[in-house]
């Protein structure tokens, strides 16, 4: 691990030990919630008093509302891009643990991997960064499991699996017996989906003839000599024997080959999967990726306490509520994707664009936009920006991109920050190279498209 980064984490931990009565403020997505879970568990184990506040984004008005409500504040998964606002409004007694593009602003209690040359986009997430502090606060190596959930929730894994600090954290979790890794078919839903749905909903990659064709999926699986049910219960991928898994993988490879799917796409179907060893065999929380989706399903729909309780170990009431929310979340994502495909996205010179009106909630518009790549509805050589209208007259735009575009110079977080600097008050944006968001007044939509054309065009051309 980067020793200066570890040193700074240690410094924050020492200061946190000295204080009490915290308000932990974090982001409502999978990574933010995992990160809050890590921090709150560590505080609880220390016997500290704390409360939590989960927000969509750390907008100025939110900081105003929070100010004065606690003795100490820990901002997680945001705050680096709002340091000057925090210094102005909160003034003192706050910690920032984040992995987004930071402002050029000094603050002694600021932990961000980007300040130490560690990539906050693919080497460590907010949950990982919170874990760096937690491992200095006590015997908290078991929390590495949540750190891995956060990293996957933020889509930080590469073709080879987790890299950099994420990989080292994973290793600590394996040593603590809370995590394991293996090479396997990594289509989404290996634990929570019955076999037919496992293939039926595969969007990354699309399986020609099988994705979205239930009858064909059932025939395909039976054709590979695999039973769909065990007694009355539908089987999932994880419950197959080694031999059955091999047969299914071979059949899939042959099928994709026959349908001229490029080799690299086929290879991407296989890779590392991560298991939370302490979770029940059939639980979606057992697969680190699916745990992230469960957290999004709770957090992005306002059920923050359910998500936090899950992260802090509740496998009773919170778990049952979460399963219901998961089903609804998946339905909303499917409907969002259908809407975008039906209406079609506009192709601009430098990006794809979709205005969802008020048909897709701002909290999932980014996820839906990102999923369009896997669905084959858009090509991977342009970023996509999707926009949704809020009841207060503002719009929220979410941008998503691909690894290839980043290599060619694209940086969506920087692009949105640049527009915020140009437009000033009323516009707040930021994020990562590959995924970012921005809020601005609805009447500026046309101007927004023009500005994006210019800023993104320049970024991509520069290489
Ligand atoms: O706030 P935060 O960093 O946690 O959010 C990152 C967002 O970016 C997540 O919604 C994640 O799904 C998305 N993302 C993406 N594609 C990537 C990396 C991240 O859509 N390759
Ligand atoms: O909201 P969305 O999922 O599109 O956010 C993508 C990424 O951009 C997240 O990491 C989020 O924290 C970040 N973001 C930001 N400032 C905003 C909106 C989003 O930093 N105003």
């Amino acid at each position: 691990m980067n020793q200066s980064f570890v040193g700074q984490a240690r410094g924050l931990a020492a200061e946190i030990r000295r204080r009490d009565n915290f308000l932990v403020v974090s982001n409502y997505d999978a990574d933010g919630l995992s990160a809050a879970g890590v921090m709150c568990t560590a505080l609880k184990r220390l016997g500290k008093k704390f409360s939590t506040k989960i927000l969509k984004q750390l907008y100025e008005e939110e900081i105003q509302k929070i100010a004065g409500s606690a003795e100490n504040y820990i901002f997680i998964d945001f705050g680096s891009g709002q340091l000057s606002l925090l210094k102005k409004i909160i003034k003192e007694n706050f910690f920032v643990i984040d992995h987004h593009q930071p402002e050029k602003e000094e603050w002694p209690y600021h932990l961000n991997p980007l300040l130490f040359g560690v990539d906050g986009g693919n080497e460590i997430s907010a949950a990982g960064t919170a874990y760096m502090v937690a491992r200095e606060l006590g015997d908290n190596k078991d929390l590495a499991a949540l750190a891995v959930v956060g990293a996957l929730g933020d889509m930080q894994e590469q073709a080879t699996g987790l890299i950099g600090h994420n990989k080292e954290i994973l290793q600590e979790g394996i040593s603590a017996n809370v995590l394991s890794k293996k090479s396997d078919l990594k289509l989404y839903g290996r634990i929570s989906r019955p076999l037919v749905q496992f293939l039926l909903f595969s969007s990354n990659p699309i399986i020609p003839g099988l994705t979205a064709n239930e009858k064909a999926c059932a025939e395909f699986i039976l054709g590979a000599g695999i039973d769909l049910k065990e007694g009355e219960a539908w089987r999932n991928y994880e419950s197959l024997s080694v031999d059955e898994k091999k047969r299914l993988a071979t059949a899939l490879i042959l099928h994709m080959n026959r349908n001229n799917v490029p080799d690299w796409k086929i290879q991407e179907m296989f890779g590392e999967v991560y298991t939370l060893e302490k979770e029940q065999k059939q639980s979606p929380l057992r697969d680190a990726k699916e745990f992230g989706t469960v957290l999004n399903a709770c957090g992005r729909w306002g059920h923050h306490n359910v998500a936090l309780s899950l992260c802090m170990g509740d496998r009773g009431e919170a778990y049952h509520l979460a399963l219901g929310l998961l089903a609804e979340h998946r339905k909303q994502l499917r409907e969002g994707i259908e809407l975008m495909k039906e209406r079609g996205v506009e192709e601009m010179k430098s990006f794809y664009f979709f205005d969802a009106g008020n048909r897709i909630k701002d909290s999932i518009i980014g996820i839906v936009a990102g999923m369009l790549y896997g669905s084959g509805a858009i090509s991977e050589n342009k970023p996509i920006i999707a926009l949704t209208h809020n009841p207060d007259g503002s719009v929220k735009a979410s941008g998503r991109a691909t690894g290839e575009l980043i290599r060619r110079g694209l940086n969506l977080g920087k692009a949105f920050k640049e527009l915020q600097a140009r437009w000033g008050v009323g516009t707040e944006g930021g994020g990562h190279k590959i995924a970012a968001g921005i809020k601005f007044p609805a009447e500026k939509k046309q101007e927004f498209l023009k500005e994006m054309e210019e800023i993104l065009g320049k970024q991509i051309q520069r290489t």
Side-chain angles (χ1 to χ4, degrees):
M1 283 180 182
N2 177 307
Q3 285 312 303
S4 319
F5 184 36
V6 172
Q8 179 70 1
R10 195 165 290 150
L12 260 78
E15 197 54 38
I16 288 173
R17 275 177 180 286
R18 263 181 232 126
R19 304 194 195 179
D20 204 351
N21 297 315
F22 296 91
L23 178 64
V24 175
V25 189
S26 189
N27 187 238
Y28 73 160
D29 72 7
D31 185 33
L33 291 162
S34 312
V38 168
M39 188 45 63
C40 292
T41 308
L43 290 174
K44 192 171 161 201
R45 288 176 181 170
L46 278 178
K48 301 281 184 196
K49 290 194 228 33
F50 64 90
S51 50
T52 51
K53 179 127 192 107
I54 303 297
L55 298 174
K56 232 176 229 185
Q57 190 49 242
L58 195 58
Y59 295 122
E60 180 168 358
E61 54 186 290
E62 300 290 354
I63 306 176
Q64 298 280 10
K65 275 190 229 156
I66 288 167
S69 64
E71 262 176 51
N72 292 288
Y73 305 82
I74 306 181
F75 294 96
I76 310 182
D77 201 22
F78 38 42
S80 291
Q82 293 85 6
L83 274 180
S84 51
L85 279 175
L86 291 172
K87 281 166 84 170
K88 192 176 87 185
I89 302 167
I90 303 281
K91 294 199 175 72
E92 49 190 0
N93 293 346
F94 70 87
F95 299 82
V96 172
I97 298 172
D98 192 5
H99 68 136
H100 292 93
Q101 309 268 345
E103 274 184 340
K104 282 201 182 63
E105 191 75 49
E106 292 293 321
W107 186 248
Y109 311 120
H110 180 202
L111 185 68
N112 186 318
L114 295 162
L115 299 173
F116 303 94
V118 177
D119 193 326
N122 56 32
E123 290 182 87
I124 191 162
S125 69
T129 311
Y131 173 77
M132 297 295 286
V133 179
R135 68 202 273 283
E136 304 294 337
L137 281 174
D139 183 10
N140 289 320
K141 294 269 165 75
D142 58 323
L143 300 179
L146 274 180
V148 166
V149 169
L152 294 178
D154 245 15
M155 301 174 72
Q156 295 211 338
E157 81 273 34
Q158 308 295 294
T160 53
L162 290 173
I163 60 165
H165 282 62
N166 281 328
K167 193 172 172 180
E168 296 189 51
I169 293 171
L170 166 71
Q171 213 48 54
E172 293 193 356
I174 294 174
S175 305
N177 297 318
V178 290
L179 284 168
S180 68
K181 68 168 182 183
K182 62 179 174 186
S183 272
D184 210 333
L185 189 58
K186 58 172 194 190
L187 295 183
Y188 183 83
R190 70 187 170 105
I191 293 178
S192 69
R193 287 183 170 161
L195 276 174
V196 169
Q197 273 77 11
F198 183 56
L199 299 186
L200 183 67
F201 293 131
S202 169
S203 59
N204 201 7
I206 295 240
I207 313 174
L210 295 183
T211 297
N213 187 339
E214 194 164 354
K215 192 158 161 271
C217 287
E219 280 167 6
F220 183 84
I221 298 164
L222 290 169
I226 298 166
D227 289 333
L228 298 175
K229 278 185 161 182
E230 191 168 324
E232 281 308 295
W234 295 105
R235 301 174 77 195
N236 63 14
Y237 176 74
E238 201 55 18
S239 69
L240 301 187
S241 68
V242 174
D243 190 50
E244 285 175 317
K245 278 187 176 177
K246 265 194 203 143
R247 286 208 299 274
L248 186 61
T250 311
L252 274 172
I253 294 170
L254 284 173
H255 175 86
M256 306 278 272
N257 257 323
R258 248 184 262 126
N259 285 282
N260 303 319
V261 177
D263 278 350
W264 64 269
K265 260 219 141 88
I266 300 178
Q267 268 160 26
E268 273 191 0
M269 288 172 69
F270 298 88
E272 276 184 6
V273 295
Y274 308 102
T275 304
L276 279 83
E277 290 295 330
K278 304 283 184 218
E279 302 296 341
Q280 296 286 320
K281 280 265 169 344
Q282 300 296 322
S283 163
L285 307 183
R286 198 170 159 82
D287 177 76
K289 187 105 197 152
E290 295 185 43
F291 196 144
T293 308
V294 175
L295 292 181
N296 272 323
C298 305
R300 291 187 183 250
W301 298 97
H303 300 270
H304 306 139
N305 289 337
V306 176
L308 276 176
S309 301
L310 271 186
C311 287
M312 296 186 71
D314 181 344
R315 296 294 175 268
E317 196 188 345
Y319 177 66
H320 291 288
L321 286 171
L323 292 188
L325 293 167
L326 177 64
E328 178 60 24
H329 178 61
R330 283 179 171 163
K331 183 169 155 255
Q332 296 285 342
L333 293 182
R334 272 203 299 280
E335 285 174 10
I337 291 171
E338 282 315 311
L339 181 77
M340 282 200 190
K341 279 183 168 170
E342 225 172 80
R343 289 206 193 155
V345 293
E346 281 173 62
E347 185 164 358
M348 322 282 283
K349 225 164 113 219
S350 310
F351 59 97
Y352 291 104
F353 177 69
F354 184 81
D355 184 341
N358 58 6
R359 296 276 305 276
I360 302 178
K361 280 259 301 200
D362 66 336
S363 51
I364 59 159
I365 187 97
I367 302 184
V368 173
M371 287 175 94
L372 275 198
Y373 284 115
S375 78
I378 54 175
S379 95
E380 298 193 5
N381 62 9
K382 282 181 192 179
I384 174 159
I385 297 178
L387 188 144
T388 170
H389 294 250
N390 295 322
D392 69 355
S394 67
V395 294
K396 151 83 189 296
S398 278
R400 292 292 186 273
T402 62
E404 174 56 22
L405 286 162
I406 304 308
R407 280 187 286 281
R408 284 166 52 197
L410 184 78
N411 185 338
L412 287 170
K414 205 164 152 201
F416 287 171
K417 273 271 173 246
E418 198 170 321
L419 191 59
Q420 176 182 338
R422 282 188 196 179
W423 284 1
V425 180
T427 302
E428 289 179 69
H432 306 285
K433 292 176 183 169
I434 206 158
I438 187 165
K439 188 171 90 161
F440 57 88
E443 60 271 16
K444 286 194 154 174
K445 178 181 147 183
Q446 289 310 326
E447 218 181 313
F448 172 75
L449 296 180
K450 246 175 62 200
E451 297 266 20
M452 279 299 116
E453 206 53 284
E454 191 213 315
I455 298 174
L456 297 180
K458 246 197 263 160
Q459 282 187 352
I460 303 175
Q461 266 168 25
R462 226 181 284 138
T463 54

